């Protein structure tokens, strides 16, 4: 798993503060974005203070290619700031395409979906 911890200080009461991550591929295509307040049912207000927002990207989700992790924050519908950019290189260590190690990876996510195969009579 990849745990990301974002430490920040809020100096005044803010409505709609959003901390987020982007995962982009080598061509800068957005693979996914995740906000710290996705489960909120209304726009939250944040009081002054020191905070840490944490997110975990589960292992075996990202395919074995190079990505860029962008960590940012913003105030909803007002402004956005990309604060940190980190290159990520993922190795094929999961369940995806395990029997065909030398095969070229085609895609961005390496999600293992459970399949079933049965023999049937025509």
């Amino acid at each position: 798993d990849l745990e990301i911890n974002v430490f920040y200080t809020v100096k005044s009461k803010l409505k709609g503060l959003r901390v987020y991550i982007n995962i982009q591929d080598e061509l800068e295509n957005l693979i996914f974005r995740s906000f710290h307040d996705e489960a909120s049912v209304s726009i939250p207000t944040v009081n002054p203070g020191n905070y840490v927002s944490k997110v975990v990207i589960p292992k075996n989700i990202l395919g074995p290619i190079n990505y860029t992790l962008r960590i940012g924050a913003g105030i909803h519908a007002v402004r956005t700031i990309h604060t940190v950019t980190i290159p990520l290189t993922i190795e094929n260590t999961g369940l995806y395409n395990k029997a065909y190690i030398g095969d070229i990876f085609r895609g961005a996510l390496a999600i293992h979906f459970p399949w079933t195969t049965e023999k049937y009579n025509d």
Side-chain angles (χ1 to χ4, degrees), residues 9-17 43-49 51 75 79:
T9 300
V10 174
K11 294 189 177 188
S12 61
K13 190 174 185 177
L14 293 172
K15 184 172 184 174
L17 174 67
I43 298 175
T45 298
V46 181
N47 291 312
Y51 294 87
I75 301 171
R79 67 177 164 200

Side-chain angles (χ1 to χ4, degrees), residues 19-35:
V19 176
Y20 65 91
I21 61 167
N22 286 350
I23 297 288
Q24 294 173 272
D25 67 12
E26 292 176 309
L27 300 175
E28 297 189 13
N29 295 310
L30 181 63
I31 305 304
F32 66 83
R33 172 178 282 176
S34 182
F35 291 98

Side-chain angles (χ1 to χ4, degrees), residues 30-82:
L30 181 63
I31 305 304
F32 66 83
R33 172 178 282 176
S34 182
F35 291 98
H36 87 290
D37 63 350
E38 287 177 344
S40 298
V41 294
S42 62
I43 298 175
T45 298
V46 181
N47 291 312
N50 297 315
Y51 294 87
V52 58
S53 293
K54 300 177 184 181
V55 65
V56 175
I57 299 173
K59 63 183 174 185
N60 303 328
I61 294 291
L62 297 174
I65 61 174
N66 295 319
Y67 298 90
T68 300
L69 166 65
R70 296 187 192 277
I71 302 171
I75 301 171
H76 179 68
V78 176
R79 67 177 164 200
T80 300
I81 302 168
H82 291 295

Side-chain angles (χ1 to χ4, degrees), residues 96-121:
Y96 178 84
N97 218 7
K98 200 166 192 169
Y100 303 92
I101 299 298
D103 194 19
I104 297 171
F105 181 74
R106 296 167 185 88
L109 301 178
I111 300 171
H112 172 73
F113 295 101
W115 285 53
T116 61
T117 302
E118 299 174 3
K119 185 175 181 180
Y120 69 95
N121 295 326

